Amino acid sequence: MEIKTFEEFDLDAKLLRAITEMGFEQPSPIQAKAIPVILEGKDIVGQAQTGTGKTAAFGIPLLQMIDTKNKNLQAIVLSPTRELAIQIAEEFRKLSKFSHGIKILPIYGGQDITKQIRSLKGGVQVVIGTPGRVMDHMRRHTLKMEHVKMVVLDEADEMLNMGFREDIETILTAIPDERQTILFSATMPRPIMDIAKKFQKNSEIIKVVKKELTVPKIEQYYYEVKRRNKNEVLSRLLDIYAPKLSLVFCNTKKGVDELVEDLKGRGYFAEGLHGDMKQQQRDRVMKRFRNGQADILVATDVAARGIDVDDVEAVFNYDLPQDDEYYVHRIGRTGRAGRNGKAFNFVFGKEIYKLRDIQRYCKTKIVAKPVPSVHDVTSTKIEKVLNQVTEMIENEDLETFITYIEERVNQEDITSIDIAAALLKLAIGQGENANDATFDFGETGAQDGMVRLFVNIGKKQGTRPGDILGAIAGETGISGDLIGTIDMYDRYTFVEVPRECAKQVIDVMKDAKIRGKSINIEPANSK
Ligand code: ADP
Ligand code: MG
């Protein structure tokens, strides 16, 4: 892998700052190749699979060339669907967060056109639109093309499949010839090349070439998870498989920091590694990981590049990698020297297609697995402990301990089975003191002995305090009497629960619904 940085592109400092804030650590392969060429002013045809960062590949050079003092329309992005138009606009807004004076507007069918016209009159430099709606505005002369310097066709193959060919040609014809024309597509069928030939000048074809990739023979699984459930699923897998050392990959630095915080909060020994850290910090983290003081290392691709640890038993792709090659690099960190290794992939929504591509290009099989339930976690833990127990009974001298048990059984009205059960509960970490009474929720503004929780649902959603009480009592089995003050506002609610139940309430309620709505629940900030 060639190392490239965003700094090398000679970008505006404000743009670079936004990229850093978004947590992008390095350009993805298509970005590394396309950005410099687009910045030179050349036309390109870019081809890369989904999820490889194509939006920023054209978004970064596009935003770089916008003249903020000029309030005319300067760039148009055509997108096949309104959802995509909105997504692109969102990514552009993040990228231009610090570049004051850039106005971006998505325009698509189904939205009130007079509203769009009003927004356009306010001086919009970048429009992201579906072809039909762009045509509509052209007819009404509400989109003026004279100053357009760049036009991007995103998901061009998709637009052609949807029958937008004529519209696209009309739009391209209406934009001045001196413009730059950028075309992105996941596939390169004939009609795309025709458009390129007709509307581009000496365009350069930029592809992320696929190398033959060989994946080490390790077990690979995937789990379909909602984004907000990733942390919970990760902890369950960590509990079930109990890998000696695990490596967890996130795509952004921000992702690494947030996940490490969360895992620490859940009581895991996790450390993060990313490109923003000083060498000294990285050395410290690696030392803790090597000597087992931390058994989970959360890292970005860049940061993980240099590390060389042999007994990593599990690799988690918390975020799927931006490139197939990264996948191979990532999972190559486990199963070394003939050891058993496992790779776990989290897949969210459409990412399933990316996974399919990875399997195809890496010629490997990634097996679907159901998300383990809390019950699975408990039974795995129990089984493990009981196996250890059987082994101890066979191999170790337990006489002294037997004496203690006998004494208790003789003195009190309990059986040895009662004792065994209680010890088992202790051993899997569900004993009373192992309960989360000591968990630090910070200052939540609750009465003594209570923790105040924030729930993102309120009166406006048609909820009543009784629903919150009922849901918590019902889902967690905690008696309703124990639940304290409930303060309900329009869009959120505060509820106090006993400190020793707070962690359980949060864990259980995170996956629960109140009045059919998924909720977010967390310790409140102090009043
Ligand atoms: P594509 O258009 O190729 O399907 P997107 O542009 O939608 O892919 O990008 C997929 C995701 O990757 C987005 O969440 C985006 O913010 C993120 N992303 C893009 N570039 C980078 C990068 N260099 N590092 C980390 N994440 C990135
Ligand atoms: Mg895209």
Side-chain angles (χ1 to χ4, degrees):
M1 263 188 289
E2 197 181 346
I3 302 184
K4 281 233 169 88
T5 65
F6 282 107
E7 281 77 14
E8 284 170 50
F9 295 141
D10 205 10
L11 298 170
D12 186 273
K14 292 180 186 127
L15 196 50
L16 207 52
R17 185 168 157 215
I19 294 170
T20 309
E21 182 149 308
M22 286 166 84
F24 294 2
E25 189 157 50
Q26 60 167 359
S28 68
I30 186 74
Q31 290 165 359
K33 287 190 166 179
I35 293 174
V37 183
I38 305 179
L39 282 174
E40 269 176 47
K42 288 200 183 127
D43 286 358
I44 70 151
V45 176
Q47 185 185 8
Q49 313 151 237
T50 39
T52 50
K54 292 193 287 293
T55 318
F58 58 78
I60 290 169
L62 182 149
L63 292 165
Q64 165 88 8
M65 66 112 220
I66 298 294
D67 174 2
T68 50
K69 287 183 211 86
N70 180 345
K71 298 299 168 202
N72 292 304
L73 179 64
Q74 296 172 46
I76 294 192
V77 180
L78 294 179
S79 129
T81 63
R82 59 188 263 175
E83 289 74 24
L84 184 62
I86 294 169
Q87 266 177 38
I88 297 172
E90 272 171 17
E91 185 105 334
F92 277 23
R93 285 198 177 121
K94 285 187 208 151
L95 286 168
S96 61
K97 182 169 172 196
F98 302 107
S99 319
H100 303 292
I102 298 192
K103 271 210 180 163
I104 296 157
L105 186 73
I107 58 173
Y108 42 83
Q111 197 195 33
D112 182 7
I113 196 156
T114 51
K115 221 170 115 191
Q116 286 174 359
I117 293 172
R118 219 177 308 127
S119 304
L120 284 168
K121 285 210 174 109
V124 169
Q125 296 113 327
V126 183
V127 153
I128 297 132
T130 49
R133 192 43 79 98
V134 168
M135 290 274 291
D136 213 345
H137 280 285
M138 278 168 52
R139 268 185 239 113
R140 293 165 188 254
H141 302 289
T142 42
L143 263 187
K144 304 223 165 51
M145 302 298 193
E146 302 91 86
H147 301 276
V148 173
K149 296 184 281 187
M150 184 187 283
V151 55
V152 180
L153 311 187
D154 191 21
E155 300 203 357
D157 48 354
E158 205 45 45
M159 286 200 281
L160 295 189
N161 289 342
M162 291 169 73
F164 284 133
R165 180 170 185 154
E166 256 180 63
D167 287 359
I168 290 174
E169 298 207 351
T170 314
I171 295 166
L172 288 174
T173 311
I175 300 172
D177 267 348
E178 325 57 274
R179 58 152 203 262
Q180 195 175 354
T181 311
I182 309 295
L183 201 154
F184 271 94
S185 192
T187 57
M188 282 300 147
R190 200 46 224 261
I192 297 278
M193 296 320 291
D194 289 345
I195 296 237
K197 212 157 151 197
K198 203 160 155 195
F199 294 97
Q200 289 187 307
K201 292 186 218 69
N202 307 319
S203 68
E204 195 167 308
I205 296 184
I206 296 185
K207 279 191 209 184
V208 176
V209 252
K210 296 284 164 209
K211 288 196 204 113
E212 269 292 308
L213 300 170
T214 33
V215 173
K217 288 205 170 13
I218 63 169
E219 293 166 49
Q220 298 158 68
Y221 304 113
Y222 77 86
Y223 299 83
E224 284 196 64
V225 288
K226 291 207 188 75
R227 206 167 276 149
R228 64 186 174 84
N229 292 340
K230 280 187 180 180
N231 295 3
E232 176 63 26
V233 176
L234 176 61
S235 355
R236 288 183 194 173
L237 291 172
L238 286 167
D239 291 348
I240 287 187
Y241 290 96
K244 196 164 158 212
L245 295 179
S246 309
L247 201 51
V248 184
F249 283 97
C250 294
N251 285 354
T252 64
K253 296 182 259 197
K254 207 163 145 190
V256 169
D257 288 337
E258 285 171 4
L259 181 57
V260 169
E261 272 312 295
D262 185 88
L263 286 173
K264 281 185 174 165
R266 289 169 187 262
Y268 294 97
F269 296 102
E271 291 280 348
L273 202 66
H274 59 61
D276 272 358
M277 296 164 58
K278 302 227 163 57
Q279 192 55 45
Q280 213 180 344
Q281 271 176 302
R282 301 168 59 123
D283 291 346
R284 190 185 56 81
V285 165
M286 282 316 298
K287 200 169 147 209
R288 289 175 61 81
F289 189 56
R290 282 214 181 81
N291 67 19
Q293 275 173 291
D295 50 9
I296 302 163
L297 186 67
V298 185
T300 56
D301 290 288
V302 179
R305 198 166 288 155
I307 65 175
D308 185 26
V309 178
D310 264 342
D311 8 349
V312 173
E313 287 183 351
V315 167
F316 293 87
N317 288 318
Y318 184 90
D319 295 321
L320 280 186
Q322 297 245 291
D323 189 75
D324 303 339
E325 207 178 318
Y326 296 175
Y327 183 80
V328 180
H329 279 262
R330 286 181 179 188
I331 72 166
R333 303 299 171 139
T334 180
R336 288 201 181 168
R339 285 193 177 82
N340 276 339
K342 290 188 174 65
F344 302 92
N345 296 281
F346 290 174
V347 177
F348 174 74
K350 271 169 63 178
E351 287 179 345
I352 192 91
Y353 297 109
K354 199 154 137 188
L355 195 82
R356 194 187 56 189
D357 284 341
I358 291 176
Q359 300 193 61
R360 195 177 294 156
Y361 287 107
C362 305
K363 298 197 180 55
T364 186
K365 180 86 192 133
I366 308 175
V367 182
K369 280 255 190 177
V371 169
S373 66
V374 177
H375 178 74
D376 296 337
V377 176
T378 313
S379 42
T380 318
K381 281 187 188 166
I382 290 179
E383 204 156 307
K384 243 179 233 161
V385 173
L386 289 180
N387 287 341
Q388 283 174 323
V389 166
T390 313
E391 220 185 283
M392 280 179 83
I393 294 174
E394 278 168 16
N395 302 321
E396 290 182 35
D397 178 11
L398 298 170
E399 212 155 322
T400 347
F401 297 91
I402 291 173
T403 320
Y404 280 107
I405 304 278
E406 273 175 356
E407 259 173 40
R408 271 294 152 118
V409 171
N410 289 334
Q411 282 165 10
E412 289 175 37
D413 188 18
I414 50 173
T415 67
S416 43
I417 292 188
D418 293 335
I419 296 184
L423 288 174
L424 182 58
K425 194 169 175 193
L426 264 182
I428 62 161
Q430 289 185 7
E432 185 147 18
N433 289 329
N435 215 328
D436 305 287
T438 51
F439 192 85
D440 184 15
F441 296 98
E443 186 44 63
T444 65
Q447 292 180 27
D448 273 357
M450 306 288 274
V451 171
R452 199 165 67 116
L453 301 175
F454 167 90
V455 190
N456 67 337
I457 189 166
K459 290 183 202 153
K460 280 267 156 71
Q461 281 94 0
T463 334
R464 285 165 301 121
D467 297 326
I468 306 254
L469 181 79
I472 295 180
E475 295 281 341
T476 61
I478 295 169
S479 153
D481 305 341
L482 292 177
I483 297 170
T485 323
I486 299 182
D487 284 327
M488 183 166 274
Y489 298 86
D490 278 352
R491 302 196 179 280
Y492 51 86
T493 304
F494 293 107
V495 53
E496 292 192 4
V497 297
R499 179 162 285 273
E500 53 279 10
C501 318
K503 178 81 169 38
Q504 186 201 352
V505 170
I506 293 175
D507 287 348
V508 173
M509 295 306 292
K510 254 195 303 214
D511 299 322
K513 288 184 169 175
I514 295 182
R515 294 212 139 211
K517 288 188 193 72
S518 300
I519 56 151
N520 184 23
I521 184 164
E522 53 192 50
N525 295 322
S526 121
K527 284 177 221 183

